[in-house]
Every structure is written in C-alpha cells, then in structure tokens.
Amino acid sequence: MGSVNNKGRQFGIHHNPPLCTRSHQIGALLLVCTTFFLTRAVDRLLAPSAVKLSNGFSQSHYAVESNDDGSVSWPDRGYGSHLSLKIYVYDESEIQGLKALMYGRDGKITASACLKGQWGTQVKIHRLLQQSRFRTRKKEEADFFFVPAYVKCVRMLGGLNDKEINEAYIQVISQMPYFRLSGGRDHIFVFPSGAGAHLFKSWATYINRSIILTPEGDRTDKKDTSAFNTWKDIIIPGNVDDGMTSHGAKIVQPLPLSKRKYLANYLGRDQGKVGRLKLIELAKQFADKLESPVLKFSGPDKLGKLEYFEHLRNAKFCLAPRGESSWTLRFYESFFVECVPVLLSDQVELPFQNVIDYSQISIKWPSSEIGPQLLDYLESIPDAAIDKMIARGRRVRCLWIYAADSEPCSTMQGILWELQRKVRQFHQSTETFWLHNGSFVNRQLIEFSNWRPPMPLP
C-alpha cells in the first residue's frame, strides 16, 4: 500500500486531504481579487477607450486625431506611429508601352490636360510619389512598385481605345520581372473613376493580386464582379478642385448656417438613376427646402466652377446619391464649403475607414427612403448639432487634399499609412520558387537575376 512518502503516485489509493485553514482561505480570496483587478486593468489598456481633445470632442484611440497646428496623429491601433517603406516609381521611358498609357498612341495628350477633374488623381499621385522621401531608385530594396498611367484621361480624350488600353497594359506587365517575382502583389495601379480597374478589360487575369487605388469600392451594377477587394485595395478621395483645397484664398468661403437659404441641396444630373430622379422630384415639391438646379456642362447656361460652389455652400446638408457607381465627388466637395454630406448610396466605401469615424462627420440615409421623411429628419437636427459635425469635418478634411507627404496632413499621408499596412515580408507567387541557398528561380530553374522580359504571362 502506498504512503504519502512514496515518490510515485499510486492510483486508486485514497488519502485524507489536507485541512483548509483560515490562512488558505484568505490567500485564495486575495488571489481572486488580484486576478480580477489585473484583468480589468488589461481590458482597459486594450479597449478602444475615448480620450478628450482640447476642442471638446471625444476621440477613440482607433481614430485619427487632428491637432491644433494642422498636423494629424495616427493611432497605433489603426496604423502605427512611424512610417517606414520604400516605393519604386517606374520611369515612363524604361518600359515600352508605358508612354502610350500616359500620353496616348501619338503622345499628344499632356499631363496638365489630365490634371483636373476626377481623373487628376492619376497625375497627382504619380507626381507626389516622384517627390516623396519614400521613393527609392533601387528595385531590389523596394516594398512597392508604382505603375504610372493616365489611362482614364487618355481614353476620354481619344488617345487610346479599349482594345489598345488592354494591349498596352499586357505589354507593360510582360516587361516587369519584379511583377512576375511577386505575382503583382507589390505593384500599385491607380484607376480614378467609377469604372475602376475595369478600364483594363483583362484586369482579372493580370492584376487581380495587385494593389488598386480607386475612389470606387463597388462596381457590380454593370459588371458581374467588382474589381475592388477590401483586403488588398485602397479607397482614395476624389479630386476636389485645387481652388477649394489650396492654401490661401478659396474660390468661395463657407456661409454661416443662418445665412444659408436651403435646408439641403442636390447638384447633379439624373443619369436615369432612381435615387437622383426622386431627389429632383422632391425638389419640385419642396422648393423652399431642397434646391436641385439643372446642371449644364456646355452652352451659354453652363454652370461654372464659381457658381457651382456658390450653390453648394448655400445649404446645411449636401445630398450625395449614387450615380453610375456608388461613389460621388460631391461627398468630398461638401467638406470644403462646410455643408454636412448626406450619403444616399448604400454600397459606398470611404477612404481611411480604419481611422475616421464617418458617423461623426456625415449622415448615411437608406436610398430606398428618399422622400419627404428625409427632409423631415434633416429639419429636426438643431443647428448646434450641425455645427459640431461641421467642426469635426473641418479637422479631418485635410485628408482629402492631394499634397506632398511632407505636409502635416494630406491624402498622400493616408495612402502611405494604408500601404504600410499591406507590406509583406514575403511575396508569394505561383511563378517564384526558392532554393536552400536563398536564391529565387522560375519554373525553368533560372535565377531571378537572369530573368529577361518579355515575361511569360497567363
């Protein structure tokens, strides 16, 4: 029979348990209390608690914080505290076919002609990356590769047709060994319009793993599938007119709420879209509350830039319904006339959602509920609440401005933070294999340094 002195424990033999003394009870109670308070302390450290800013607003640790000097502080949980990445920008002359995507088949389209309007982001991002302190001229050390193209502008100005665009992109990609090495995962393309990457008809075959910068997160209304993937792609702001975003005098200045004539406005064409048609009819019924002027972009009654922004600033709420696609430039423009944007687009995606709480600076209303009830709701909001939303929007609208990443706050800063979250230490590719000595080879076991374009493409 075993005893308590035996080294090995014998199963099936019962022992008298030790007595539970008062000291044991007190010790157990202290252990429970200590565990409870430690757990609470850890929960508070990890939870998205709010802090109070100098302007009186509560700010989540998830949200970007705008400082009084115009700079922004990025939250550790949303992004991080230090930018560290390197981007290679392909030169227009190093790859055959790239110039055609930038200036058309005859090279007659200029970058300055493509700089304005919603297409301008292709030019602006390219130029700003060329000037960026994060640019590298060594491909072997790059985290990302930027492929410049002004293809939306080139297509609209007749420089290339759809077939030529498709052929040019395929030609360009076939000359990029580093694209093949990563499967395109570290290559960046900009598509600045509602059509998104569908401008490149064969995008799904060739750049389905690449990073796409686009204002459009949903394009399933006319296509079987969307080119946007929330895991890898980045939503960027629309290109607001420089006259409203640049330092110094603006095209127009915001009006005090008490001086605004209308409760809300809608400035846009109907495009045969149900939501837009409803707004135009609503404006006819409630002309004293909702303004919706007929927009003409040519002829003697053309609405100029100045007149457009004068209309936009004359309401407390700027309505932004879905058009040909889910995004609208009006959403971003409204921040610069200090009009609260009201999104009437159910599938819309917005930029930098990791760090911006859009519920604090805008309103999203179901597109199926466009009617008098919308105006009743907006009318019920007191001016004090509208002022607070406008003030919050004023502090983050710098993220809609395409300025250098050296600026205290800009769209480029936001894009770079988003890119840094997508840096991969290792890039997987079906065409890349690695050996025990650290070398990389292709399917024919040719070392990467000896890969020669044109590369075999699927």
Side-chain angles (χ1 to χ4, degrees):
M1 183 177 287
S3 69
V4 293
N5 294 324
N6 286 349
K7 293 181 180 179
R9 186 168 193 179
Q10 298 187 21
F11 297 95
I13 298 178
H14 302 280
H15 302 284
N16 293 326
L19 295 175
C20 183
T21 66
R22 189 170 184 78
S23 298
H24 289 130
Q25 293 173 340
I26 293 172
L29 183 60
L30 288 172
L31 180 61
V32 170
C33 292
T34 302
T35 302
F36 173 77
F37 286 112
L38 282 174
T39 303
R40 289 290 297 273
V42 171
D43 285 345
R44 287 178 180 178
L45 286 173
L46 295 180
S49 57
V51 295
K52 205 75 169 179
L53 300 182
S54 59
N55 60 8
F57 299 136
S58 292
Q59 188 84 23
S60 166
H61 288 316
Y62 284 115
V64 63
E65 181 176 330
S66 179
N67 303 314
D68 292 331
D69 63 358
S71 64
V72 291
S73 299
W74 300 99
D76 288 341
R77 301 196 72 182
Y79 286 132
S81 57
H82 178 64
L83 268 177
S84 177
L85 71 168
K86 295 181 179 180
I87 302 175
Y88 181 86
V89 181
Y90 284 104
D91 184 85
E92 62 186 50
S93 299
E94 74 175 284
I95 297 179
Q96 188 176 358
L98 199 53
K99 282 187 176 181
L101 290 173
M102 298 174 71
Y103 311 117
R105 71 180 76 84
D106 301 322
K108 294 181 179 179
I109 296 172
T110 63
S112 58
C114 296
L115 192 56
K116 297 181 180 180
Q118 67 178 21
W119 317 327
T121 53
Q122 286 194 314
V123 181
K124 288 183 175 180
I125 293 173
H126 179 208
R127 288 181 174 179
L128 291 168
L129 284 177
Q130 285 179 313
Q131 304 162 11
S132 174
R133 66 186 188 277
F134 299 105
R135 181 185 182 184
T136 180
R137 298 181 185 276
K138 298 179 180 178
K139 292 179 181 177
E140 63 272 14
E141 68 176 18
D143 297 305
F144 297 106
F145 297 80
F146 181 79
V147 184
Y150 310 151
V151 65
K152 173 64 176 180
C153 174
V154 166
R155 180 179 181 272
M156 295 300 291
L157 297 181
L160 291 176
N161 59 38
D162 288 349
K163 181 180 178 182
E164 290 171 324
I165 289 171
N166 207 64
E167 292 173 347
Y169 266 119
I170 295 172
Q171 180 186 24
V172 165
I173 292 169
S174 71
Q175 297 173 71
M176 296 176 170
Y178 279 87
F179 185 96
R180 196 65 170 176
L181 181 65
S182 69
R185 291 172 187 262
D186 52 9
H187 278 59
I188 304 166
F189 297 82
V190 181
F191 292 99
S193 69
H198 291 283
L199 284 169
F200 174 19
K201 298 296 184 183
S202 300
W203 71 268
T205 300
Y206 297 101
I207 61 171
N208 56 39
R209 293 179 177 86
S210 299
I211 296 171
I212 295 170
L213 308 186
T214 176
E216 179 59 80
D218 172 71
R219 191 57 180 167
T220 55
D221 58 332
K222 290 187 176 179
K223 309 293 179 181
D224 294 331
T225 182
S226 174
F228 178 78
N229 182 318
T230 191
W231 182 84
K232 67 179 182 63
D233 299 329
I234 296 173
I235 295 292
I236 59 174
N239 184 34
V240 180
D241 192 282
D242 291 343
M244 293 300 295
T245 63
S246 58
H247 296 297
K250 304 293 190 292
I251 295 173
V252 299
Q253 293 294 327
L255 292 173
L257 289 181
S258 60
K259 297 286 183 70
R260 302 186 190 188
K261 183 177 179 180
Y262 297 99
L263 171 68
N265 62 35
Y266 166 58
L267 273 71
R269 297 167 294 167
D270 64 67
Q271 295 181 304
K273 303 300 178 182
V274 174
R276 295 184 171 211
L277 290 169
K278 284 183 178 180
L279 287 178
I280 293 171
E281 286 304 310
L282 199 62
K284 294 176 182 177
Q285 296 176 46
F286 301 93
D288 58 327
K289 296 180 182 180
L290 175 60
E291 182 195 26
S292 183
V294 177
L295 295 188
K296 294 185 178 179
F297 297 95
S298 60
D301 297 326
K302 176 183 177 181
L303 194 68
K305 187 164 51 177
L306 174 62
E307 292 80 13
Y308 173 83
F309 283 108
E310 284 180 338
H311 277 285
L312 202 64
R313 71 172 178 170
N314 206 21
K316 297 176 182 179
F317 299 96
C318 291
L319 308 184
R322 182 186 180 101
E324 286 293 338
S325 57
S326 63
W327 87 284
T328 171
L329 183 61
R330 199 167 302 105
F331 175 81
Y332 305 102
E333 291 173 331
S334 66
F335 285 96
F336 295 94
V337 295
E338 300 188 356
C339 172
V340 176
V342 180
L343 285 163
L344 303 170
S345 180
D346 302 343
Q347 287 83 24
V348 69
E349 295 262 359
L350 299 168
F352 318 136
Q353 292 184 93
N354 295 304
V355 294
I356 295 177
D357 184 354
Y358 283 95
S359 67
Q360 298 296 305
I361 61 175
S362 64
I363 292 170
K364 188 178 181 186
W365 182 269
S367 60
S368 59
E369 295 296 324
I370 296 176
Q373 64 270 35
L374 169 60
L375 298 182
D376 290 342
Y377 167 72
L378 296 178
E379 200 167 26
S380 72
I381 302 173
D383 282 358
I386 298 173
D387 271 327
K388 286 184 178 180
M389 296 185 76
I390 288 172
R392 295 186 189 111
R394 191 184 298 129
R395 296 178 72 88
V396 298
R397 68 187 180 190
C398 52
L399 290 171
W400 317 150
I401 300 175
Y402 284 88
D405 54 62
S406 57
E407 290 288 321
C409 174
S410 69
T411 296
M412 289 307 298
Q413 274 196 347
I415 290 174
L416 290 170
W417 279 113
E418 289 279 10
L419 286 172
Q420 180 157 289
R421 296 176 68 245
K422 300 179 186 298
V423 172
R424 301 288 180 263
Q425 181 66 26
F426 195 83
H427 296 283
Q428 178 73 16
S429 170
T430 57
E431 296 300 321
T432 306
F433 305 85
W434 51 93
L435 309 182
H436 79 284
N437 60 2
S439 62
F440 290 85
V441 298
N442 65 12
R443 290 182 183 273
Q444 288 74 45
L445 302 181
I446 299 173
E447 286 199 13
F448 173 70
S449 59
N450 292 321
W451 291 13
R452 295 289 179 266
M455 312 305 300
L457 294 174

